[in-house]
Amino acid sequence: MTHKIAFLPGDGVGPEVARAARSVMMRAGEIYSIPLKFEEHDFGGVAIDRHGDPLPPETLTACLEADAVFLGAVGGPKWEKGPLRPESGLLALRKHLGVYANLRPIRVLPGMENHSPLTPDRARGCDILIIRELTGGLYFGEKREGMERASDNCVYTREEVVRVARIAFEAARGRRGKVTSVDKANVMATSRLWRAAVIALHETEYRDVELEHVLVDAMAMKLIQRPAAFDVVLTENLFGDILSDEASVIAGSIGLAPSASLGEGARGLYEPIHGSAPDIAEEDKANPAGAILSGAMLLRFSLQRDDAAQAIERAVEETINNGHGTADIGGRDSCSEFAARVAGALRA
Ligand code: IPM
Ligand code: MG
């Protein structure tokens, strides 16, 4: 059976990193006999320009009918002042796909400690899986725009907390067995609900997993002081957005960080966590590693091909360990050169 992948290159460096990732996924598909069919659709700023809508109905339908959705990046200065923003399409897509759990692994690869802005002894051994709640909280609460007064409403239900916490506990069981739940329970009502729901689930079903609670401000500090102390980090939408950018640079560059967004069922949304980086768009300079590793996550979670996923991860590591990479990690490769090296390093 051919796997249908909705392919949304998006804006800025999105198209170049997405193409790079597609070439690596196709090579993995050949080696592992996984039939893949990529269908390209307009999304984000380009879709505003062409259809007056960042998420045109035909793109949404294609995503809902696909086995997986692969996304480059969206946004850019061109659309910052307009009535429609590319980002609103991304939020709508996440909501329509029901992908409430956003997995953002951050790993300092052995030998890469020197690329970290932290001292090598602090960066060494950092291997964190951030699980960010993705379809609730401030991002989706009622908004009131205004130049004198404005508001964003943060809402969580117990059920929304429990389903994402379950993913975190399950992930921890397959890793080092620890979950750090991050909230602001000393101030926010939603955080008190969050903490209570996480504790209740832990007590009833996951006593074997170690659970700790850290306030988000302290977490911002601890991530820098002792990143290697964390295993799975579970948090709500906005805190996860902020902490994942912070954590990503520990590994040397945000360009290295992939993500998978999952809900019920196998369909998922895969995208590097970096933005559209309009300043370097179309220069073939962007680091495609985060996008390529997102492709590995697609093979793992939506197509159940852990073998091919691991092969891509090994090929990326090997390529970087051999001293290759784009400028952001101190290398000399262009985006397409790096992707070609990774594709060439792939083996069954
Ligand atoms: C991310 C991005 C998005 C978010 C933006 C582009 C809406 O920053 O995926 O982390 O805030 O979720
Ligand atoms: Mg972000």
Side-chain angles (χ1 to χ4, degrees):
M1 192 195 69
T2 301
H3 301 286
K4 214 157 72 172
I5 300 169
F7 185 71
L8 317 180
D11 310 315
V13 297
E16 43 207 285
V17 297
R19 278 195 298 269
R22 182 177 58 187
S23 68
V24 173
M25 281 186 269
M26 284 171 56
R27 180 75 193 117
E30 279 165 26
I31 297 175
Y32 285 88
S33 309
I34 309 168
L36 302 174
K37 184 160 177 242
F38 289 86
E39 290 174 358
E40 193 163 327
H41 299 279
D42 292 334
F43 181 62
V46 289
I48 294 178
D49 291 349
R50 291 192 194 139
H51 313 269
D53 183 351
L55 177 59
E58 49 280 19
T59 299
L60 176 59
T61 305
C63 292
L64 291 169
E65 286 172 356
D67 297 305
V69 181
F70 191 89
L71 169 64
V74 291
K78 182 172 174 199
W79 303 282
E80 253 156 38
K81 297 225 162 62
L84 287 169
R85 299 196 56 138
E87 289 83 354
S88 68
L90 180 55
L91 301 191
L93 180 61
R94 290 170 176 171
K95 196 75 172 178
H96 281 291
L97 291 171
V99 288
Y100 56 80
N102 180 221
L103 278 54
R104 299 187 160 186
I106 308 286
R107 227 153 63 79
V108 175
L109 303 176
M112 280 281 290
E113 295 87 358
N114 291 328
H115 294 285
S116 176
L118 302 186
T119 50
D121 60 310
R122 286 212 171 115
R124 189 165 299 119
C126 166
D127 179 0
I128 302 175
L129 176 61
I130 296 179
I131 299 192
R132 167 188 177 195
E133 199 291 326
L134 201 62
T135 53
L138 270 177
Y139 276 68
F140 293 94
E142 189 197 343
K143 286 182 196 309
R144 299 243 164 135
E145 306 285 338
M147 287 305 119
E148 299 301 332
R149 188 182 145 85
S151 64
D152 297 279
N153 198 10
C154 184
V155 182
Y156 270 110
T157 63
R158 175 173 283 265
E159 135 97 62
E160 284 175 314
V161 179
V162 168
R163 65 185 182 180
V164 71
R166 186 178 295 289
I167 294 201
F169 286 125
E170 292 290 337
R173 278 185 177 159
R175 296 170 46 99
R176 303 193 302 282
K178 180 175 165 191
V179 170
T180 303
S181 176
V182 176
D183 61 40
K184 188 72 185 172
N186 53 347
V187 175
M188 293 173 68
T190 42
S191 281
R192 288 189 280 273
L193 165 64
W194 181 281
R195 195 178 283 210
V198 171
I199 289 174
L201 179 66
H202 178 248
E203 280 182 358
T204 49
E205 296 182 44
Y206 295 100
R207 301 285 297 245
D208 55 304
V209 176
E210 184 191 341
L211 172 64
E212 67 176 358
H213 305 275
V214 179
L215 296 173
V216 63
D217 48 350
M219 188 64 188
M221 184 175 72
K222 289 184 185 201
L223 265 177
I224 298 300
Q225 289 172 321
R226 283 180 0 103
F230 299 103
D231 179 15
V232 174
V233 172
L234 166 67
T235 191
E236 61 98 71
N237 206 344
L238 181 65
F239 299 160
D241 179 45
I242 298 167
L243 292 178
S244 60
D245 270 31
E246 183 191 357
S248 74
V249 292
I250 295 172
S253 167
I254 194 172
L256 294 168
S259 88
S261 302
L262 308 172
E264 307 303 334
R267 189 185 55 216
L269 168 65
Y270 302 85
E271 50 177 320
I273 85 164
H274 63 71
S276 61
D279 50 321
I280 56 163
E282 288 170 46
E283 292 180 23
D284 198 20
K285 273 188 190 162
N287 187 345
I292 293 171
L293 293 169
S294 301
M297 293 181 93
L298 184 157
L299 288 160
R300 171 171 299 125
F301 294 117
S302 286
L303 310 188
Q304 279 70 50
R305 291 304 299 255
D306 201 59
D307 51 353
Q310 283 191 34
I312 292 178
E313 289 161 352
R314 277 197 307 270
V316 169
E317 274 183 45
E318 188 186 305
T319 306
I320 293 176
N321 280 334
N322 287 340
H324 302 295
T326 43
D328 56 316
I329 56 167
R332 286 201 212 144
D333 284 343
S334 66
C335 174
S336 48
E337 278 163 356
F338 182 80
R341 285 189 205 280
V342 172
L346 271 177
R347 324 216 186 290

